[in-house]
């Protein structure tokens, strides 16, 4: 803690000189290595990478001899591998590489390596990049796209491009991610034209040695937009032919192309319903075109219309009737919750309900609703909560994880997607700690039974250990408190943003600060926060019980009954499912209003505690990363206060109840927050 | 506390409709009155006002009979009065009026009226308005000038003008203020031209019935600027003649004109030194011109040059040698502290040291350095501390009050000045609680032995009582906590702005937020905060001991020795007099650095407590004033955090010591605060 400012400056210059700790190395920081000899049963680009990683990063017995064996083993599945006392064995070259990364991770974290077989939970572990071809990124907070540029020569591939793509692919491979959708789901049809496909091929070429397949978001209207056809009707023979030809063209360039991601008939995007066809009609047409090459279609279930009574019900209502009608190389990509990546949602009831269709979870790594790259929020706990949610669809143990990874239902393909948080920022993710979310997504995609505790533990050791053998002091005074901060961070964000089941009350457009008041006239109601919080003088919350929208009925028993009853509904989903009177007595004896005040206040104080924790670990952190995180935490603290003030003062207009005396008073005026809603983003970060 | 927002809205509309509690009535809110008969020994405009005030505001025995008697009594001095069981007696009509206001104040506050004689501490109790002729006010935070406008017809006097001036004069009279300087000390010579003097006369005509004399700030260069002379040398016969003629002209229009206030050879203003004459030469020349009419010169001692080694010493060094050289109708106007109206300064060592010259204290009611009209800071405690400061110049009991009120030294005239905080804002002062500072100045000018407790008590009762007979409940739950808040408020501001003797570390120009870093190249050093705080790696504070600038030697023993010794120097003046090592052990055992952290943190938390106190008294306050004060307190709380963050992070660069763990972390980055120094005022108030 001594010499905060000046020592930070000194360390800053040191680290700039050393190009060392600016975060660009992610969790793959170069470590001193011991000599090791590596014997490889098969020589390929992939196994050569594995060998080099071992030579560069070996921290086991000096002079040890390691065998890398590619050999069929029925117990090893897909990209899986087997760790043996002699080395790594896998069915594929890539499996060997994954095994090597696992081995090295164990050495670097100091964990014991237990021999055994390690198979991935999902076949396809895919990042979705919402990158536009002009280089911007929708909901990206870490600089511009690493794939696309807005300059005229944007399609020329440079050596710097290739180096960055290889670094990116290596980072993905090191945590088991094997696919990347290179463009925004709100797609530009141009991506399917030759000029762009050439760059896609160049990217694929750099990714290939690391086992990362490229996918593209395909615009459903592409046959018209870039193919000159008069229709895009999926049952029209010319359309079918167009897609077949396009797919053939792609595979000629990229033989291991992964397939298409499609957002159709959703938020204004074109789709089969424009031609009175179903989602199945559309998806199957594309799937048929991809099938000969092993490609898949990831078809998003993120659909809702302004006219329906409850947006949370619509994906289920629209897709469940189609169960069984999709080709086996179609996977329906379903967001974790029924609305849209909110700080907390119950799981989407589609999981487990669609039994004859492959479903893949879509989570959001980029923190659209969770503080962008300003707030420190470790999302692993959110995803763990989601994956371990009980659907009860096949009795107890029917978790979302098991409903999607093939262990409950016989799926031809399994997959999981995460919306990437990667950009051109030197540290990739904007916030040093946002890297942990990229890491966590990969680790959970590989093993959906991992705990967030373990993931945070691994990531912190890989990312912040100063030398191979850290002491107990480091464990006690850095690892332990910082890990706890990470594990608490998502609940803190829920507390200061949307506690007790509140959702979608953020400011418009930017989705950053509070905006429960935002409701311009003539705006689609389901795009305004009041639609979701329903605050009035009686109470607050969306009535989704049997007397309300009855969204509860989409959940399998006993959840249906549990959620439907205000007395048994868990606190964290209370306002998701119920319109609750302000004076309702919570399980802890508080009124709803007071509890809401306490939660917001607690969230703010949690962030203040994070600031203390971080300041205290300064001696253990290099200067540049320390100062960056310290500065971001300050912004998070200021902004948590904005959330608390904005939401409490707004809801107080309805509750007409006082903020409990022991709670710190608001320091912002509601009128000011409302008036400055659209410009306030300028003050997000200092 | 129930129904904060909506009830505020309701009350807001109610009070707007009733034109009731917007604060315009100050401490003179109309009360229901009982019948009373008033017998007056002398009929004049002044006694008629006194009679009317009694008829409108009587709350004593219904049907009582009150006598107002103008009669010479040697025990009654100047504007003093005698309260008897029958009524009020005084030497002058004005004395009767003051007695009536006192009588009514006692009735309204419910205090017992003890018969006795009540003489004023000072003969001249004057407000200095820093109003420019274009209607702006230097350091004014309550709207534009009530005297001047920037429109073309600005010199036309309207009925609305006259009404406002009468209201202003009445407010002054009610607390004993009997003079007002109508224009800025940084004077525009035009004020002495006929066209402006006509408006001055109109103002004087409205003030006269309330006993408020008008004064003008005279620019020393006026003979050249508006008189066409080639010199302004005070010993030049043409100059002397010009001033004599000008004074004659003024008195022909305004027979009771008070005199001139002069800022000469100070901060670029012209003065006698421009002609190698002394301040005495200049002041005496003007005094001689005024003498035949009973006018006085208030000559400011606020002088300092950039070349000297310690600004705090200069007024003393320049004026003490002139002691005894001034005419008896010159009063040297000395700011309370040696620098400039800082949140806390020791008293100016001129007080008591100039024994053969009349000195008048100048305090600042407008909160230039104390949060403008945004922060709630009751200044009475500061002035009480100042007036009760022991100078020891004539042994124990030689307080500043006694050194200036004529009780220690035989002064022909005594006076006290306060820089006004009045503007066109409907509530006069911008902040409802800033009215209390106007009130307190008047009350202390009348009786410099009053306690701040009593003044706050009176003001709160007069300003916030909802009806004549408030209950114990009101006393316990409103009066007591709010009074305590007022009494603590200045110390809170010292804590979050400039604790432990720090001074002049505010942001440039605006003098609002923190700016300890502000030091542009080529800027006069004595206008930059680093000149005053002297922070370096060793410590912080201005060394004014015998090894430093030796300003301590300007104080009479035992203060000289007390202040000179770091071990005995009071904490509140420590960094004023000493450059103290960061690790210096304070009297309470803390290091200086830690104590600085605790003080800043305490200040912030004090403001947060004020917010709680105010929210809790909501049931006792009308809606409009409640919401206004609540909103200002929110701004004060945000800005106290800016002060704490800015100062601690800035000084930490030098101390290189950690902020104690138990203290809330900064939420702003130093670089941001520095970068946005000049624009940040936009965020002061929401």
């Amino acid at each position: 803690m001594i010499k905060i400012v000046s020592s930070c400056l000194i360390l800053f210059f040191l680290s700039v000189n050393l190009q060392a700790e600016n975060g660009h190395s992610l969790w793959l920081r170069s470590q001193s290595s011991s000599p090791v000899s590596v014997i490889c049963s098969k020589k390929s680009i992939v196994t050569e990478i594995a060998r080099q990683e071992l030579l560069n990063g070996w921290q086991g017995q000096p002079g040890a001899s390691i065998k890398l064996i590619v050999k069929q083993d029925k117990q090893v599945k897909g990209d899986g591998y087997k760790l043996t006392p002699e080395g790594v064995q896998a069915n594929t070259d890539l499996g060997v590489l994954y095994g090597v990364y696992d081995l090295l991770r164990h050495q670097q974290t100091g964990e014991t390596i237990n021999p055994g077989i390690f198979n991935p939970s999902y076949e396809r572990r895919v990042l979705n990049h919402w990158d536009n071809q002009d280089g911007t990124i929708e909901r990206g907070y870490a600089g511009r796209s690493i794939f696309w540029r807005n300059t005229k020569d944007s399609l020329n591939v440079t050596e710097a491009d290739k180096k960055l793509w290889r670094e990116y692919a290596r980072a993905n491979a090191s945590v088991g991610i094997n696919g990347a959708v290179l463009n925004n789901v709100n797609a530009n049809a141009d991506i399917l034209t030759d000029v762009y496909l050439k760059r896609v091929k160049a990217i694929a070429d750099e990714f290939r040695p690391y086992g990362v397949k490229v996918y593209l978001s395909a615009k459903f209207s592409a046959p018209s937009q870039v193919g000159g056809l008069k229709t895009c009707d999926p049952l029209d023979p010319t359309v079918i032919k167009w897609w077949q030809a396009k797919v053939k063209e792609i595979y000629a360039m990229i033989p291991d192309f992964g397939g298409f991601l499609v957002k159709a008939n959703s938020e204004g995007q074109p789709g089969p319903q424009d031609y009175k066809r179903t989602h199945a009609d559309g998806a199957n047409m594309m799937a048929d075109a991809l099938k000969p090459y092993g490609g898949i279609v990831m078809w998003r279930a993120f659909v809702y219309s302004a006219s329906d009574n409850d947006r949370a019900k619509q994906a289920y209502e629209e897709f469940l009737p189609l169960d069984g009608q999709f080709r086996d190389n179609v996977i329906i990509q379903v967001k974790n919750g029924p609305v849209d990546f909110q700080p907390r949602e119950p799981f989407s009831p589609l999981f487990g309900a669609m039994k004859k269709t492959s479903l893949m979870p879509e989570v959001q790594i980029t923190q659209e609703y969770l503080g962008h790259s300003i707030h420190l929020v470790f999302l692993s706990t959110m995803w763990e909560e989601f994956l371990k949610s009980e659907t009860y669809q096949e009795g107890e143990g029917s978790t979302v994880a098991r409903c999607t990874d093939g262990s409950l239902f016989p799926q031809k393909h399994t997959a999981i997607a995460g919306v990437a948080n990667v950009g051109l920022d030197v540290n990739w993710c904007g916030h040093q700690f946002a890297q942990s979310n990229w890491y966590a997504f990969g680790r959970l995609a590989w093993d959906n039974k991992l705990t967030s505790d373990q993931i945070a533990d691994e990531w912190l050791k890989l990312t912040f250990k100063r030398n191979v053998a850290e002491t107990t002091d480091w464990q006690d005074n850095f690892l332990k408190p910082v890990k706890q901060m990470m594990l608490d961070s998502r609940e803190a964000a829920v507390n200061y943003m949307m506690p007790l089941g509140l959702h979608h009350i953020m400011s418009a457009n930017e989705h950053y600060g509070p905006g429960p008041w935002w409701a311009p006239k003539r705006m689609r109601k389901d795009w305004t926060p009041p639609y979701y919080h329903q605050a009035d003088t009686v109470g607050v919350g969306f009535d989704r019980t049997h007397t309300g929208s009855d969204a509860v009925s989409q959940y399998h028993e006993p959840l249906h009954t549990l959620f439907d009853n205000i007395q048994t509904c868990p606190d964290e989903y209370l306002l998701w499912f119920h319109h609750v009177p302000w004076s309702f007595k919570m399980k802890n004896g508080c009124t709803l209003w007071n509890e809401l005040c306490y939660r917001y206040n607690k969230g703010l104080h949690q962030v203040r505690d994070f600031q203390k924790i971080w300041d205290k670990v300064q001696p253990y952190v290099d200067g540049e990363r320390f100062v960056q995180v310290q500065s971001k935490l300050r912004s998070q603290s200021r902004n948590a206060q904005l959330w608390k003030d904005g939401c409490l003062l707004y809801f107080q207009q309805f509750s007409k109840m006082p903020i409990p005396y022991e709670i710190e008073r608001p320091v912002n005026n509601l009128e000011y927050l409302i008036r400055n809603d659209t410009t306030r983003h300028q003050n997000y970060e200092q």
Side-chain angles (χ1 to χ4, degrees), chain A residues 307-319:
Chain A
S307 55
D308 267 2
N309 73 336
D310 181 1
R311 171 171 161 187
K313 290 169 64 181
Q314 297 180 42
Y316 182 97
E317 287 176 342
E318 205 165 322
F319 276 82

PDB file of all heavy atoms in Angstrom, chain A residues 307-319:
ATOM      1  N   SER A 307     -46.673  -6.943 -29.750  1.00  0.00           N
ATOM      2  CA  SER A 307     -48.106  -7.052 -29.480  1.00  0.00           C
ATOM      3  C   SER A 307     -48.419  -8.058 -28.386  1.00  0.00           C
ATOM      4  O   SER A 307     -49.485  -8.030 -27.797  1.00  0.00           O
ATOM      5  CB  SER A 307     -48.836  -7.428 -30.774  1.00  0.00           C
ATOM      6  OG  SER A 307     -48.257  -8.602 -31.298  1.00  0.00           O
ATOM      7  N   ASP A 308     -47.513  -8.955 -28.102  1.00  0.00           N
ATOM      8  CA  ASP A 308     -47.823  -9.979 -27.116  1.00  0.00           C
ATOM      9  C   ASP A 308     -47.815  -9.425 -25.700  1.00  0.00           C
ATOM     10  O   ASP A 308     -47.270  -8.354 -25.440  1.00  0.00           O
ATOM     11  CB  ASP A 308     -46.839 -11.140 -27.255  1.00  0.00           C
ATOM     12  CG  ASP A 308     -47.422 -12.211 -28.183  1.00  0.00           C
ATOM     13  OD1 ASP A 308     -48.525 -11.978 -28.702  1.00  0.00           O
ATOM     14  OD2 ASP A 308     -46.759 -13.233 -28.387  1.00  0.00           O
ATOM     15  N   ASN A 309     -48.416 -10.177 -24.803  1.00  0.00           N
ATOM     16  CA  ASN A 309     -48.599  -9.613 -23.470  1.00  0.00           C
ATOM     17  C   ASN A 309     -47.383  -9.778 -22.570  1.00  0.00           C
ATOM     18  O   ASN A 309     -47.273  -9.109 -21.559  1.00  0.00           O
ATOM     19  CB  ASN A 309     -49.842 -10.198 -22.803  1.00  0.00           C
ATOM     20  CG  ASN A 309     -49.624 -11.644 -22.370  1.00  0.00           C
ATOM     21  OD1 ASN A 309     -48.763 -12.342 -22.927  1.00  0.00           O
ATOM     22  ND2 ASN A 309     -50.384 -12.089 -21.388  1.00  0.00           N
ATOM     23  N   ASP A 310     -46.487 -10.679 -22.892  1.00  0.00           N
ATOM     24  CA  ASP A 310     -45.320 -10.870 -22.034  1.00  0.00           C
ATOM     25  C   ASP A 310     -44.161 -11.368 -22.874  1.00  0.00           C
ATOM     26  O   ASP A 310     -44.139 -12.531 -23.308  1.00  0.00           O
ATOM     27  CB  ASP A 310     -45.644 -11.870 -20.913  1.00  0.00           C
ATOM     28  CG  ASP A 310     -44.464 -12.084 -19.980  1.00  0.00           C
ATOM     29  OD1 ASP A 310     -43.401 -11.450 -20.190  1.00  0.00           O
ATOM     30  OD2 ASP A 310     -44.599 -12.866 -19.025  1.00  0.00           O
ATOM     31  N   ARG A 311     -43.195 -10.483 -23.058  1.00  0.00           N
ATOM     32  CA  ARG A 311     -42.050 -10.833 -23.890  1.00  0.00           C
ATOM     33  C   ARG A 311     -41.357 -12.095 -23.399  1.00  0.00           C
ATOM     34  O   ARG A 311     -40.830 -12.876 -24.194  1.00  0.00           O
ATOM     35  CB  ARG A 311     -41.066  -9.657 -23.895  1.00  0.00           C
ATOM     36  CG  ARG A 311     -39.754  -9.980 -24.555  1.00  0.00           C
ATOM     37  CD  ARG A 311     -38.918  -8.716 -24.720  1.00  0.00           C
ATOM     38  NE  ARG A 311     -37.519  -9.042 -24.928  1.00  0.00           N
ATOM     39  CZ  ARG A 311     -36.539  -8.152 -24.966  1.00  0.00           C
ATOM     40  NH1 ARG A 311     -36.817  -6.864 -24.819  1.00  0.00           N
ATOM     41  NH2 ARG A 311     -35.281  -8.521 -25.162  1.00  0.00           N
ATOM     42  N   ALA A 312     -41.364 -12.317 -22.098  1.00  0.00           N
ATOM     43  CA  ALA A 312     -40.644 -13.455 -21.533  1.00  0.00           C
ATOM     44  C   ALA A 312     -41.201 -14.798 -21.992  1.00  0.00           C
ATOM     45  O   ALA A 312     -40.535 -15.820 -21.907  1.00  0.00           O
ATOM     46  CB  ALA A 312     -40.669 -13.380 -20.004  1.00  0.00           C
ATOM     47  N   LYS A 313     -42.434 -14.789 -22.488  1.00  0.00           N
ATOM     48  CA  LYS A 313     -43.070 -16.069 -22.867  1.00  0.00           C
ATOM     49  C   LYS A 313     -42.851 -16.446 -24.325  1.00  0.00           C
ATOM     50  O   LYS A 313     -43.112 -17.591 -24.727  1.00  0.00           O
ATOM     51  CB  LYS A 313     -44.594 -15.966 -22.645  1.00  0.00           C
ATOM     52  CG  LYS A 313     -45.010 -15.910 -21.196  1.00  0.00           C
ATOM     53  CD  LYS A 313     -46.480 -15.529 -21.061  1.00  0.00           C
ATOM     54  CE  LYS A 313     -47.405 -16.584 -21.663  1.00  0.00           C
ATOM     55  NZ  LYS A 313     -48.812 -16.164 -21.533  1.00  0.00           N
ATOM     56  N   GLN A 314     -42.390 -15.526 -25.139  1.00  0.00           N
ATOM     57  CA  GLN A 314     -42.583 -15.679 -26.571  1.00  0.00           C
ATOM     58  C   GLN A 314     -41.666 -16.689 -27.260  1.00  0.00           C
ATOM     59  O   GLN A 314     -42.092 -17.393 -28.169  1.00  0.00           O
ATOM     60  CB  GLN A 314     -42.514 -14.300 -27.234  1.00  0.00           C
ATOM     61  CG  GLN A 314     -43.645 -13.407 -26.722  1.00  0.00           C
ATOM     62  CD  GLN A 314     -43.618 -12.028 -27.337  1.00  0.00           C
ATOM     63  OE1 GLN A 314     -43.396 -11.880 -28.522  1.00  0.00           O
ATOM     64  NE2 GLN A 314     -43.843 -11.025 -26.517  1.00  0.00           N
ATOM     65  N   ALA A 315     -40.414 -16.736 -26.847  1.00  0.00           N
ATOM     66  CA  ALA A 315     -39.528 -17.717 -27.477  1.00  0.00           C
ATOM     67  C   ALA A 315     -40.103 -19.116 -27.280  1.00  0.00           C
ATOM     68  O   ALA A 315     -40.162 -19.934 -28.215  1.00  0.00           O
ATOM     69  CB  ALA A 315     -38.137 -17.633 -26.866  1.00  0.00           C
ATOM     70  N   TYR A 316     -40.560 -19.369 -26.082  1.00  0.00           N
ATOM     71  CA  TYR A 316     -41.141 -20.671 -25.746  1.00  0.00           C
ATOM     72  C   TYR A 316     -42.378 -20.929 -26.603  1.00  0.00           C
ATOM     73  O   TYR A 316     -42.532 -21.996 -27.210  1.00  0.00           O
ATOM     74  CB  TYR A 316     -41.496 -20.657 -24.258  1.00  0.00           C
ATOM     75  CG  TYR A 316     -42.069 -21.934 -23.701  1.00  0.00           C
ATOM     76  CD1 TYR A 316     -41.246 -22.847 -23.033  1.00  0.00           C
ATOM     77  CD2 TYR A 316     -43.441 -22.219 -23.781  1.00  0.00           C
ATOM     78  CE1 TYR A 316     -41.763 -24.010 -22.476  1.00  0.00           C
ATOM     79  CE2 TYR A 316     -43.967 -23.374 -23.233  1.00  0.00           C
ATOM     80  CZ  TYR A 316     -43.124 -24.272 -22.574  1.00  0.00           C
ATOM     81  OH  TYR A 316     -43.647 -25.410 -22.015  1.00  0.00           O
ATOM     82  N   GLU A 317     -43.239 -19.949 -26.686  1.00  0.00           N
ATOM     83  CA  GLU A 317     -44.490 -20.125 -27.428  1.00  0.00           C
ATOM     84  C   GLU A 317     -44.238 -20.346 -28.915  1.00  0.00           C
ATOM     85  O   GLU A 317     -44.964 -21.083 -29.572  1.00  0.00           O
ATOM     86  CB  GLU A 317     -45.402 -18.912 -27.224  1.00  0.00           C
ATOM     87  CG  GLU A 317     -46.011 -18.876 -25.826  1.00  0.00           C
ATOM     88  CD  GLU A 317     -46.844 -17.623 -25.573  1.00  0.00           C
ATOM     89  OE1 GLU A 317     -46.677 -16.643 -26.322  1.00  0.00           O
ATOM     90  OE2 GLU A 317     -47.623 -17.632 -24.605  1.00  0.00           O
ATOM     91  N   GLU A 318     -43.200 -19.703 -29.412  1.00  0.00           N
ATOM     92  CA  GLU A 318     -42.948 -19.772 -30.847  1.00  0.00           C
ATOM     93  C   GLU A 318     -42.163 -21.032 -31.222  1.00  0.00           C
ATOM     94  O   GLU A 318     -42.388 -21.607 -32.290  1.00  0.00           O
ATOM     95  CB  GLU A 318     -42.176 -18.515 -31.285  1.00  0.00           C
ATOM     96  CG  GLU A 318     -42.366 -18.185 -32.734  1.00  0.00           C
ATOM     97  CD  GLU A 318     -41.914 -16.756 -33.059  1.00  0.00           C
ATOM     98  OE1 GLU A 318     -42.150 -15.851 -32.220  1.00  0.00           O
ATOM     99  OE2 GLU A 318     -41.312 -16.568 -34.111  1.00  0.00           O
ATOM    100  N   PHE A 319     -41.278 -21.459 -30.351  1.00  0.00           N
ATOM    101  CA  PHE A 319     -40.398 -22.571 -30.737  1.00  0.00           C
ATOM    102  C   PHE A 319     -40.867 -23.933 -30.261  1.00  0.00           C
ATOM    103  O   PHE A 319     -40.598 -24.949 -30.920  1.00  0.00           O
ATOM    104  CB  PHE A 319     -38.957 -22.301 -30.281  1.00  0.00           C
ATOM    105  CG  PHE A 319     -38.216 -21.447 -31.270  1.00  0.00           C
ATOM    106  CD1 PHE A 319     -38.345 -20.069 -31.274  1.00  0.00           C
ATOM    107  CD2 PHE A 319     -37.432 -22.047 -32.256  1.00  0.00           C
ATOM    108  CE1 PHE A 319     -37.694 -19.288 -32.209  1.00  0.00           C
ATOM    109  CE2 PHE A 319     -36.772 -21.273 -33.197  1.00  0.00           C
ATOM    110  CZ  PHE A 319     -36.913 -19.893 -33.186  1.00  0.00           C
TER     111      PHE A 319
END
